Amino acid sequence: MHDLFREVHELFLATQFTGFMSKTVSRCNLYEFANIFFKHLTWLENDFIKRGEEYNYSVNQIPIKVDKLSMMINNIINRIESIEKKLDSCKDRDIVFRMQSDFNYIKLALKNIPDEDVSNCFDTKREYPNVKLTDEARNALTLFLFEESYKEYELIMVYNYSKANSSDAFLNRIFQILIDESFFHLRSFGEIMADMGILTVPRTIMEEVYKFNDLKQFLKDGIEEEIGAKEECKRLAEAVSSSSEYFASFFTFINNQENYHIALMEEALEHVS
Amino acid sequence: MNAESIVMEHMMNPQNYGEMRDSDAIGIGKNPQNGEKVAIYIKVREEDEPIIEDIKFQAIGCTTTIVAGSIITTEAKGVSFSRARELISLTLGMLDKQTPEDAACTEMVVLALQAAMDTYLERKKDRDFPIISYIIKTDCTPKEEER
């Protein structure tokens, strides 16, 4: 069951990041499939919790550097087939049935995805289409994208763990909103990384990051981090404003979204205080 | 390959990242200023002197820490403890050439490596010796924040 859980987590990441590579409508399909695999992960997680069994979010490195989209599509199908062989390790037959049913359809749908050249997602040129970035803006943006793509993935998993292990409806509503918001940010950053030729899957998260004991302290630290992220977005918006009106506007938009995240975390903090 | 592309390569594909479940020793480097930390896991082969047969690291930290961890663990893989100590000393001697933030990240990684080797040597005498943690000395406060 632990191998099954890890492989489903890896499948979710591989599919999500393959979605970033596509420049066609296939991106939407891959996003939807990634959502379904993430849902599978939460089902298996809930089964661990019901049985009182420890689990973690450790994953192996996921190589995605390919020239053609079809290479990743085949990789995803192979991952699904490997998972299918391990489904019996989950004793909840309803979960297994639902997962198998999803896999049957998704494998067929994946085979119909047209091929694309995706080599530019990994060429490290660090250029954005139709935008002339200064060296300073390019470097600041590169570092930001690496930091924040990891951070958003980390936040998705941290809030997901907190939600899975809490029965407080008020908090869980907030955690779910924060998960959804982090998904949006991860996807925004992932798409830019692919366009700039620096796409990569974030590293695995250390267990102590999501298995914390003090929710109040976690929320306080989270608010501080969001304030830091706001400042970074403001700096970036300034750094890229002369190069790109679009990027400046994008980072101002992300900056203002952080206000909402802070408000949600403050609401949660008040609830647990 | 120039320095920029080497750094990009380590950013996109950090080497030796992850946990090692069957490690012989673990060491921790910590930055108390911001709560960041690095854990280094080593697998050791005994010859005339101990050799770092395999090495992995994990971090709660920024991209600079990941790049430093990737580069330093790559250098330390397969070398003797005495060579690894030279690597640590050389790296610590070059910290003043980096910005305070980058120096703090690098120091955290080399101290974790030092701690892992020290933990290994202590465990040869006492199997239950706890994991050693070292705290960095570099102040990583950016200059403008000090004012």
Side-chain angles (χ1 to χ4, degrees), chain A residues 245-258:
Chain A
E245 189 187 348
Y246 167 76
F247 270 139
S249 165
F250 172 75
F251 285 112
T252 304
F253 158 70
I254 296 286
N255 176 6
N256 289 330
Q257 284 200 327
E258 305 292 4

Side-chain angles (χ1 to χ4, degrees), chain A residues 86-267:
Chain A
K86 295 182 178 72
L87 278 177
D88 278 348
S89 63
C90 175
K91 299 303 168 209
D92 185 323
R93 302 326 294 166
D94 293 335
I95 292 177
V96 171
F97 178 81
R98 292 199 302 263
M99 285 177 70
Q100 186 63 70
S101 172
D102 289 345
F103 289 152
N104 290 344
Y105 165 70
I106 291 171
K107 277 193 295 179
L108 274 179
L110 284 169
K111 284 175 186 161
N112 290 327
I113 286 185
D115 205 2
E116 294 176 52
D117 184 339
V118 294
S119 54
N120 61 335
C121 300
F122 311 99
D123 62 14
T124 67
K125 282 190 179 161
R126 300 194 295 141
E127 286 166 2
Y128 194 80
N130 306 318
V131 173
K132 192 157 173 53
L133 292 165
T134 62
D135 284 349
E136 186 201 2
R138 181 180 294 110
N139 290 337
L141 188 55
T142 302
L143 200 57
F144 175 87
L145 290 169
F146 275 103
E147 295 279 4
E148 292 304 313
S149 58
Y150 167 75
K151 200 73 216 171
E152 298 299 343
Y153 164 58
E154 182 188 280
L155 287 175
I156 290 167
M157 301 316 294
V158 168
Y159 293 130
N160 187 66
Y161 187 88
S162 300
K163 180 171 155 256
N165 287 280
S166 161
S167 52
D168 186 319
F170 183 89
L171 284 179
N172 283 353
R173 179 187 65 85
I174 289 177
F175 290 144
Q176 186 58 54
I177 297 170
L178 290 167
I179 291 168
D180 295 341
E181 292 279 313
S182 296
F183 258 110
F184 175 74
H185 283 192
L186 176 65
R187 287 174 176 175
S188 303
F189 301 148
E191 288 166 14
I192 299 174
M193 289 174 95
D195 285 333
M196 292 182 70
I198 52 171
L199 186 63
T200 181
V201 179
R203 61 189 182 272
T204 192
I205 308 164
M206 279 181 90
E207 219 167 314
E208 64 189 82
V209 173
Y210 48 91
K211 293 187 178 177
F212 52 81
N213 297 319
D214 187 345
L215 178 60
K216 260 200 254 183
Q217 193 55 48
F218 167 75
L219 289 166
K220 282 180 190 167
D221 293 344
I223 291 167
E224 284 302 311
E225 276 186 24
E226 293 283 353
I227 291 169
K230 268 176 65 63
E231 283 305 310
E232 196 48 45
C233 283
K234 216 167 113 187
R235 270 198 291 272
L236 261 174
E238 285 163 8
V240 299
S241 60
S242 61
S243 307
S244 164
E245 189 187 348
Y246 167 76
F247 270 139
S249 165
F250 172 75
F251 285 112
T252 304
F253 158 70
I254 296 286
N255 176 6
N256 289 330
Q257 284 200 327
E258 305 292 4
N259 292 333
Y260 177 43
H261 304 174
I262 291 170
L264 285 167
M265 282 193 275
E266 282 173 346
E267 214 180 310

